[in-house]
Amino acid sequence: MPSTEHVGSHGKRLRYNISYDDDEYFIERDGVMKKSVPDAIVAGVAPSEASAELMLRMAIVDIEALLGMEE
């Protein structure tokens, strides 16, 4: 599963680690799981549309808007 880091552009500008693949993504900060989206249906996406690229973009949106997690 590929992973990348993303620094939030608002608030405290914290660094998050995003692990993502087709159909899922996980967001961690300082080794603590902040959000887990284990499949596309949980993310509200049809499995046939759930590419790794889309999952990464959705994780970044979650970080920027703090959707379903605290800073």
Side-chain angles (χ1 to χ4, degrees):
M1 177 178 288
S3 65
T4 189
E5 290 187 344
H6 179 77
V7 176
S9 62
H10 305 288
K12 298 178 183 177
R13 298 177 191 251
L14 300 173
R15 182 177 308 273
Y16 296 85
N17 185 62
I18 304 168
S19 299
Y20 61 99
D21 209 342
D22 291 345
D23 203 39
E24 63 186 356
Y25 63 92
F26 306 95
I27 301 171
E28 296 181 8
R29 189 183 82 236
D30 298 330
V32 176
M33 183 70 64
K34 292 298 185 177
K35 186 167 185 177
S36 171
V37 178
D39 65 47
I41 294 172
V42 171
V45 175
S48 62
E49 297 176 1
S51 68
E53 180 181 304
L54 176 60
M55 295 293 107
L56 176 58
R57 288 193 320 245
M58 290 179 71
I60 291 171
V61 167
D62 286 352
I63 291 169
E64 292 300 329
L66 293 176
L67 296 174
M69 55 189 226
E70 296 179 11
E71 190 167 38

